[in-house]
Amino acid sequence: TLKRAHLYEDKITGYFIFSCIVGALGGSLFGYDLGVSGGVTSMDDFLLEFFPQVYERKHAHMQETDYCKYDDQMMTVFTSSLFFAALVSTFGASSLTKNKGRRASIVVGSISFFIGAVMNASAVNISMLIVGRVLLGVGIGFGNQTTSWFKYVVN
């Protein structure tokens, strides 16, 4: 890369802009999930279906703050399972990207994300939700690692 460095001095190329967009979209998956899962976990229909004890606590103490109403270990597992799976899966994604290339990592991440999304959409119990979140986390971990790797290789 040092041999070609003079070609990119003081220039913003289309490829550079594209790599920035890919990197930003990869990182935005985490922010999007935080917004969606935070909104869903406070919805009454969701709470009634999967966390009825939290729903009862939420409506029993309407005048209090929400801080302790959502204190539930399974809800914590549900929320954090995606992020933990994303963290752990980046190590596997790194190895796969190095050995098989970005395309293989993107395919594995996409398949995992798709299966997780279908599983969460059709969930009938908390176990399905958590397994779906783990698969979503693997997809995000692979996607984020691949786009981050792409960003650093280009720059």
Side-chain angles (χ1 to χ4, degrees), residues 1-13 16 153-155:
T1 57
L2 292 177
K3 296 176 187 173
R4 299 183 305 155
H6 70 281
L7 297 173
Y8 299 104
E9 289 179 1
D10 300 324
K11 293 181 184 177
I12 297 179
T13 64
F16 174 76
V153 166
V154 171
N155 293 332

Coordinates of all heavy atoms in Angstrom, one line a residue, residues 1-13 16 153-155:
T1 N 0.8 -1.2 0.0 CA 0.0 0.0 0.0 C 0.9 1.3 0.0 O 0.4 2.3 -0.4 CB -0.9 0.0 1.2 OG1 -0.1 -0.1 2.4 CG2 -2.0 -1.1 1.2
L2 N 2.1 1.2 0.5 CA 2.9 2.4 0.5 C 3.3 2.8 -0.9 O 3.6 3.9 -1.2 CB 4.2 2.1 1.3 CG 3.9 2.0 2.9 CD1 5.2 1.7 3.6 CD2 3.3 3.3 3.4
K3 N 3.4 1.8 -1.8 CA 3.8 2.1 -3.2 C 2.7 2.9 -3.9 O 3.0 3.7 -4.8 CB 4.0 0.8 -4.0 CG 5.2 0.0 -3.5 CD 5.3 -1.3 -4.2 CE 6.3 -2.2 -3.6 NZ 6.3 -3.5 -4.2
R4 N 1.4 2.8 -3.5 CA 0.3 3.5 -4.1 C -0.2 4.7 -3.3 O -1.1 5.3 -3.7 CB -0.8 2.5 -4.3 CG -0.5 1.4 -5.2 CD -1.7 0.5 -5.5 NE -2.3 0.0 -4.2 CZ -3.5 -0.3 -4.1 NH1 -4.3 -0.3 -5.1 NH2 -4.0 -0.7 -2.9
A5 N 0.5 5.0 -2.2 CA 0.0 6.0 -1.3 C -0.1 7.4 -2.0 O -1.0 8.2 -1.8 CB 0.9 6.1 -0.1
H6 N 0.8 7.7 -2.9 CA 0.9 9.0 -3.6 C -0.4 9.1 -4.5 O -0.8 10.3 -4.8 CB 2.2 9.1 -4.4 CG 2.2 8.2 -5.6 ND1 2.6 6.9 -5.5 CD2 2.0 8.5 -6.9 CE1 2.5 6.3 -6.7 NE2 2.2 7.3 -7.5
L7 N -1.0 8.0 -4.9 CA -2.2 8.1 -5.8 C -3.4 8.7 -5.0 O -4.3 9.2 -5.6 CB -2.5 6.8 -6.3 CG -1.5 6.1 -7.2 CD1 -1.8 4.7 -7.6 CD2 -1.3 7.0 -8.5
Y8 N -3.4 8.6 -3.7 CA -4.6 8.9 -2.9 C -4.4 10.2 -2.1 O -5.3 10.5 -1.3 CB -5.0 7.8 -2.0 CG -5.3 6.5 -2.8 CD1 -4.4 5.5 -2.9 CD2 -6.5 6.4 -3.5 CE1 -4.7 4.3 -3.6 CE2 -6.8 5.3 -4.2 CZ -5.9 4.3 -4.3 OH -6.2 3.2 -5.0
E9 N -3.3 10.9 -2.2 CA -3.1 12.1 -1.4 C -4.0 13.2 -1.9 O -4.2 13.5 -3.0 CB -1.6 12.5 -1.6 CG -0.6 11.6 -0.9 CD 0.8 12.1 -1.1 OE1 1.0 13.1 -1.7 OE2 1.7 11.4 -0.6
D10 N -4.7 13.8 -0.9 CA -5.6 14.9 -1.1 C -6.7 14.6 -2.0 O -7.3 15.5 -2.7 CB -4.8 16.1 -1.6 CG -3.8 16.6 -0.6 OD1 -4.0 16.5 0.6 OD2 -2.7 17.0 -1.1
K11 N -7.1 13.3 -2.2 CA -8.2 13.0 -3.0 C -9.3 12.2 -2.3 O -8.9 11.3 -1.5 CB -7.7 12.1 -4.2 CG -6.9 12.9 -5.2 CD -6.5 12.0 -6.3 CE -5.5 12.6 -7.2 NZ -5.0 11.8 -8.3
I12 N -10.5 12.5 -2.5 CA -11.6 11.7 -2.0 C -12.2 11.0 -3.2 O -12.8 11.6 -4.1 CB -12.6 12.5 -1.3 CG1 -12.0 13.2 0.0 CG2 -13.8 11.7 -0.9 CD1 -12.9 14.0 0.8
T13 N -12.0 9.7 -3.3 CA -12.4 8.9 -4.4 C -13.8 8.3 -4.1 O -14.3 8.3 -3.0 CB -11.4 7.8 -4.7 OG1 -11.4 6.9 -3.6 CG2 -10.0 8.3 -5.0
F16 N -13.5 5.4 -1.9 CA -13.4 5.8 -0.5 C -14.7 6.1 0.2 O -15.0 5.7 1.3 CB -12.4 7.0 -0.3 CG -12.3 7.6 1.1 CD1 -11.6 6.9 2.0 CD2 -13.0 8.7 1.4 CE1 -11.5 7.4 3.3 CE2 -12.9 9.2 2.7 CZ -12.2 8.6 3.6
V153 N -9.1 -2.2 5.4 CA -8.3 -2.6 4.2 C -8.2 -1.5 3.2 O -7.2 -1.2 2.6 CB -8.8 -3.9 3.6 CG1 -8.3 -4.2 2.3 CG2 -8.6 -5.1 4.6
V154 N -9.4 -0.8 3.0 CA -9.4 0.2 2.0 C -8.6 1.4 2.4 O -7.9 2.0 1.6 CB -10.9 0.6 1.7 CG1 -11.0 1.8 0.8 CG2 -11.6 -0.6 1.0
N155 N -8.7 1.8 3.7 CA -8.0 3.0 4.1 C -6.6 2.7 4.4 O -5.7 2.3 4.4 CB -8.7 3.5 5.4 CG -10.1 4.0 5.1 OD1 -10.3 4.4 4.0 ND2 -10.9 4.0 6.0

